[in-house]
Amino acid sequence: MKSIKKICCIGAGYVGGPTMAVIAKKCPDIEVEVVDINAARINAWNDNNLDNLPIFEPGLSEIVKDVRKKNLIFSSNVQDSISNADMIFISVNTPIKKKGMGAGQTSDLRWVESCARQICQSAKGHTIVVEKSTLPVKTAQTIKDILDSSKINNSNENRTFSVLSNPEFLAEGTAINDLLNPDRVLIGGDDLKAMNALKEIYIKWVPASKIIFTNLWSSELSKLSANALLAQRISSINSLSAICEVTGADIGDVANAVGMDSRIGSKFLKAGPGFGGSCFKKDILNLVYLSRYYGLDEVADFWQETVAINTWQQTRIYKEIVSKLFGNLADKKIAILGFAFKENTNDTRESPAIAICRKLLNEGSFLSIHDCKVNEETIDKDLSSDNLFDKSMWAYKEDVYSAFEGAHAVVLMTEWSIYKSLNWQNIVSVVKQPFWVFDTRCIVKPNEIRELGINLWQLGNGENQ
Ligand code: NAD
Ligand code: UGA
């Protein structure tokens, strides 16, 4: 088995960047080049000031500092990098299709297909092509078909390809730890030599018992299944949070009690404003689409409900806010704490904050928004995407306390740690009365708030008035 000397990763995003940084760190003998058509993103990865990396991820800048320009290169030379590589990771975006057949349901594979065509154009000798992106089941066949077609116009064609599936299970905010200590590394394929070549890379830091082999379709489906099961858990706990509110139970206590059952487990039982992030919704919708395609309508309906509860959770939070503020938000200022879809990331894709802020803006309120890592430009893009809400309707606040000045309410959207220890005594003196705290992440201490005469609505708290 020839060992891998040069890797090309197509896509310098939330997966490509951190994943390749860790491979470069753990495999100093391999030259890793991460390429992207987005030149601004590549420039940011090459910025001397590590605070300007395009992705915020704890521990990432330290690794990049260590290996960048040694055996980790970020560049825009996609074709050159492909032609030099023994192994190519496809790590591009696979969002839900916006138009045409399967719109709103299945992934838009244009970027994956364009990678396969770029590889066709420039690869040399034998190349192992690895699906790192999350893809609908059977996409490996599409990639193989495109790669095989390169032989049609060239009878002297002596290039060969092996296609593997190696889905990524990292979560944003904990990506580096997840990559360094994965629960498992999944390699799907039908070419044992190629599968072993990829295993040789991971074995440098992952125990062999955690590196598992399957066929291509089990690997592709396992990735969609893992995300669907995780998202379903969140919808389950969120549906229970609503029952807590009407019965006097407390969702934290319920989660703790059920999570102590070792068959259920305590992780991923935190109620909140619904799952965000670029993948859960898209991956469940892919599963729904696949099920319908094969005539499995009951299966499709089952998974579809996970998304329906998620949307409902956001809508019901918004309705609580309007109703507690006397049914009228016009001329009211609402502070929004947190815009990222979870803590420790600057990613806002599918963030519940976007849906809730847009509903509040639609009611005529003015928002003053704070986040620890998301910048004003990103928030602007998210709120103004359909030209309904412009920048006169909200303000970006660098300082968390200034977001409260003159506000009638605050909505806690992301669980950033600084929001857990706010000085409510200071806050109460700068806000309008009656003032409401809407805590969608269950992070404030109810007694501390209520003792100051502040009204509190906390998700899943049966003591809400
Ligand atoms: P991303 O949008 O952050 O990055 C994708 C990058 O690919 C972009 O910078 C884009 O410019 C680039 N690109 C697209 N087509 C290209 C081409 N033909 N040539 C060169 N560059 C190209 O996406 P991401 O969050 O990194 O996700 C990538 C994939 O990984 C998706 O399929 C996603 O479902 C999956 N995934 C994501 C996560 C996550 O936490 N974000 C975790 C596991 C899996
Ligand atoms: C998720 C999975 O956890 C990863 O394994 C997977 O690789 C990744 O999707 C992907 O394929 O993109 P990520 O979306 O980055 O990772 O973050 P999570 O920690 O899973 O959180 C997703 C959403 O669920 C967030 O909005 C978070 O706030 C919410 N969540 C999570 C809860 O509301 N409660 C919980 O208990 C956990």
Side-chain angles (χ1 to χ4, degrees), residues 197-198 268 347:
L198 182 53
F268 243 72
D347 195 349

Side-chain angles (χ1 to χ4, degrees), residues 169-170 172 223 227 234 268 270 276 279 341-342 441:
F169 295 100
L170 69 79
E172 289 178 31
K223 173 62 197 177
N227 274 1
I234 298 169
F268 243 72
K270 197 100 190 59
C279 295
F341 78 95
K342 61 185 280 197
R441 294 281 185 176

Side-chain angles (χ1 to χ4, degrees), residues 14-15 36 41 93-94 114 118 134 168 172 282 349:
Y14 283 86
V15 167
D36 204 295
R41 213 166 201 186
N93 37 319
T94 51
S114 97
Q118 285 165 309
T134 304
E168 184 47 62
E172 289 178 31
K282 142 178 104 61
R349 289 176 291 179

